[in-house]
Amino acid sequence: MSFPKDFLWGAASAAAQVEGGWDADGKGESIWDTMVREGNHVAHGETPAVACDHYHRFREDVALMKEMGLKSYRFSISWPRVLPEGTGQVNTAGLQFYIDLCDALLEAGIQPLATLYHWDLPTALYNQGGWANPESPRWFEEYAEVVSQALGDRVYAWMTFNEPQVFVGLGHVLGIHAPFRHDDSPTLCTMTKHILLAHGRAVSVLRRNCPCALVGMAPTGDCWLPEDHTPEAEEQAYQKSVALPKNFEFSNAWWGDPIFLGRPPADAENAVGEHMYTLTEEEWASVSQKLDFYGFNCYQATAEYGPPDGYGSYAYQGSPKTAIGWNITPEVLYYSCKFWHRRYGLPVLITENGYAGLDFVMLDGHVHDPQRTDFMHRYLLQVQRAIEEGIPVLGYTYWSFTDNFEWDSGYSSRFGLVYVDYRDQKRTIKDSGYWYRDVIASNGANL
Ligand code: NOJ
């Protein structure tokens, strides 16, 4: 058995990374609009203000997706575009943008996959404490209500949160992402509780308003590779992948166990002690409502660097890396599918996987990116391996459709299948994009 007939061959983006139009038609500001202006947070002082101008050029982008034959497009909704103050007054023009985007996608035969929260918290809500405010689950519920009422069953699959590991870990612990904070453990526990409750409330809203849609989320986290091909090594890699490390907020289990297993991670007390949050029975039931898939973003295996030679088990002197130094470890996609299906018992959806390169338009006017093609080829073979072993994999979503604003790195990391010249917004499908088109057309048979 190879790729299923209805496999979701897709590509992804996120509002703050591609849309631009930061104040267009009544949009409010997100923390990424406000805070990158205030400090020296992003390489070269770049901002998401214009990005790929997708807000104004989405029809051109959808036409490129169609040319590539994409079956799905994962995008996120900008909360402050829809609710400029985070709650209250709805910006109908902002909402209309997402209705039009979905309609254009459906018209092109592409299934919309929508993420509610890909990190662009409305500044107005941040100023009231953001995720640390006990009202935040209610704010998120209101936002989910507005969006899901408008989009209804246009959306094939919803994701509540993108990578809580990262927006909490990089945004509130390491201070690399907005809101650039270094919060303490008690605050992280409080925020976790609110994010979990927000997720639960949003799931109830989505079930009510979009009964035909799939509902899930898009977390990320460590995936260790087995040291060798013995069952014992695989078991060890699995156990390490589901453990709760010291930097618990980055782990799979911190978020996944409450949501998918309905309980805190086993070693939570050890990690956070007396600060551990509590939920009532009713709250646990809401947080752990059954979802339709386990989505995950996955780029590279976790490596343990250290003595004696400073390399993890699969890394070696000169081992393959992407242009931003991420290890190329195709097997991580096989093991992620396997481990997450085993852990949570749901079909899996690869919500992100991709390669950052040093792409540019070459003398002949094309973007030749053989490294990306090879990367995708290797990783997709591992997806095929998982499917052939009977693991239900719903789809593969390449990150990203176009080059875009890579958070604190700005525009220099290019992940896209489509090159964007930010001087004039000209799009050029890269060689890998054409290669992906052929893979999709053969439903993976040519891999
Ligand atoms: C994960 C995030 O969801 C996305 O926003 C980011 O651009 C990619 N990984 C690449 O770092």
Side-chain angles (χ1 to χ4, degrees), residues 17 118-119 162-163 297 299 326 352 399 406-407 415:
Q17 297 181 267
H118 203 128
W119 309 351
N162 181 70
E163 298 189 351
N297 298 348
Y299 291 81
W326 293 6
E352 282 183 33
W399 180 272
E406 177 60 15
W407 310 111
F415 278 90

Side-chain angles (χ1 to χ4, degrees), residues 12 74 159 217-219 293 295-297 349-353 397 399:
R74 176 176 175 233
M159 281 139 284
M217 66 184 301
F293 60 89
F296 64 89
N297 298 348
L349 173 64
I350 299 156
T351 39
E352 282 183 33
N353 169 250
T397 322
W399 180 272

